[in-house]
Amino acid sequence: MRKKVIAGNWKMNMLPNEAIDFITEFAPLVKDTKHEVILCVPYTDLFYALLHAQGTNIKIGAQNMHWEEKGAYTGEISAQMLKSIGVEYVIIGHSERRQYFAETDETVNKKIKSALANNLKPIVCVGETLEQREQGVTEKIITTQVEKALEGISAESLAQIIIAYEPIWAIGTGKTATKEDANDTIKQIRKKIAEIYGQNEAERVIIQYGGSVKSSNAKELFEMSDIDGGLVGGASLKPEEFSKIVKFDE
Ligand code: 13P
C-alpha cells in the first residue's frame, strides 16, 4: 500500500511572520494524521518554517533549486544549500517555472540528479496544456516528460522521488480534472515507469495530483486507485482549509 502524501506549494506567497502564524495554527490540526504532510515555501521562509516545524510531523520543502553545487550563478540556490539548513523536499519542474523561467526537460533532469546527490527528495511536476489535451496528445506529452526527467536515474533513487501530475489548465483556474481523467493519466505515468524500471517500482512510486485541489474535492480525488495525494497551491495558504485537505478521509 502506498502512503498518501499531501504537499502545499505556497508559490510566491507568505512573509516569514505569516509562515510562522500558519505553522502555529496548522501543526495542531494535522498532528494525528497518518498521511505525509509537506509545506513547500519560498526561500525566505525556509529557515523560519524549519524552526517552527521542529517537533511536528510537517516536512519542509523548497520550490526550486539550481543543479550546480556552487559557483557564479547570481541569485541561485543549490541543493547543497537547501540540505545544509535541513530542507527535505524540493519541487522541480513546476509548470510555472517551465513557462516563465525557461525550465526544460533537460534542466529538470539535471536538477533531479543534483537533488538526489544531496539527499533531497524531488517532487517532480509534469502536466499538459489545454491545447495539448484537446489535441489528444496528453499521454504522449506526459510520458515524454516523465521519461526525460528520469533519464539516467537508478531504480534505487526512484524511491526518493515523488511525481506530481498537474494539468496546466487546472492550475489556479478552479477547474479540476475529473477524478477519472486524473487517475487515468496517473496510470499512464505508472505504465511508463513500469516500462523503464519494472512493475514493482511502478507500484511503489508516489504520484500526486495537482490543480485546484480543495477540501471539497480532495476526498474523491485522493481515494482513486492511483492518486497518492496532492500538490496543493491556493488552498494550502489557509491553515484550516489545508488541514481539511490533509484529513480528507477523516
Ligand atoms: P492550485 O491548487 O492553486 O490550482 O495550484 C496547483 C499547483 O500549481 C501546485 O503546485
Side-chain angles (χ1 to χ4, degrees):
M1 256 292 269
R2 293 181 302 268
K3 61 184 172 184
K4 302 281 181 195
V5 181
I6 294 118
N9 173 9
W10 283 358
K11 308 192 178 183
M12 198 171 72
N13 295 290
M14 303 289 247
L15 299 173
N17 62 319
E18 295 170 317
I20 293 167
D21 288 350
F22 180 104
I23 293 172
T24 307
E25 189 180 337
F26 179 67
L29 299 175
V30 297
K31 70 176 173 27
D32 296 322
T33 185
K34 58 184 183 294
H35 308 309
E36 189 154 334
V37 189
I38 307 167
L39 289 174
C40 296
V41 309
Y43 292 135
T44 43
D45 289 341
L46 280 173
F47 185 76
Y48 301 96
L50 285 160
L51 206 60
H52 288 265
Q54 257 175 33
T56 75
N57 53 343
I58 302 167
K59 311 273 173 62
I60 301 298
Q63 301 171 9
N64 180 37
M65 49 163 273
H66 196 273
W67 59 86
E68 294 289 350
E69 293 275 283
K70 56 167 100 166
Y73 300 99
T74 303
E76 292 294 328
I77 304 275
S78 71
Q80 191 183 39
M81 289 169 168
L82 295 175
K83 190 68 193 176
S84 72
I85 62 166
V87 173
E88 275 184 64
Y89 288 87
V90 59
I91 297 175
I92 293 179
H94 191 281
S95 61
E96 286 150 16
R97 296 213 56 86
R98 293 180 192 250
Q99 186 179 353
Y100 306 130
F101 304 100
E103 191 94 76
T104 64
D105 289 331
E106 288 69 34
T107 61
V108 166
N109 178 254
K110 285 195 212 179
K111 289 180 181 194
I112 296 171
K113 286 177 176 159
S114 173
L116 292 168
N118 286 282
N119 290 320
L120 279 178
K121 296 179 191 152
I123 302 175
V124 181
C125 302
V126 296
E128 82 286 5
T129 62
L130 184 57
E131 203 185 355
Q132 290 162 338
R133 174 154 286 262
E134 283 169 351
Q135 287 167 354
V137 294
T138 300
E139 178 171 358
K140 174 103 193 57
I141 295 290
I142 302 296
T143 52
T144 303
Q145 285 176 347
V146 169
E147 201 169 13
K148 291 192 169 174
L150 298 178
E151 210 170 279
I153 286 162
S154 69
E156 195 188 351
S157 293
L158 182 72
Q160 302 303 312
I161 297 177
I162 294 174
I163 295 175
Y165 167 56
E166 299 204 305
I168 294 168
W169 49 271
I171 295 177
T173 57
K175 282 188 210 150
T176 317
T178 65
K179 55 184 199 246
E180 291 83 10
D181 280 350
N183 202 51
D184 281 351
T185 307
I186 290 178
K187 276 189 179 164
Q188 287 158 8
I189 296 174
R190 234 179 261 292
K191 191 165 143 247
K192 175 50 75 181
I193 290 175
E195 278 168 34
I196 308 172
Y197 295 97
Q199 195 59 36
N200 284 348
E201 275 70 17
E203 288 299 329
R204 274 201 288 266
V205 67
I206 302 286
I207 310 181
Q208 300 172 314
Y209 166 78
S212 299
V213 173
K214 34 192 185 283
S215 59
S216 56
N217 60 23
K219 185 176 164 70
E220 58 176 79
L221 286 160
F222 299 170
E223 281 182 352
M224 295 302 282
S225 63
D226 283 69
I227 304 181
D228 305 323
L231 183 56
V232 185
S236 74
L237 296 169
K238 301 239 160 59
E240 194 173 349
E241 170 68 3
F242 191 43
S243 75
K244 286 186 192 157
I245 296 174
V246 169
K247 298 191 285 186
F248 70 94
D249 54 350
E250 288 179 24

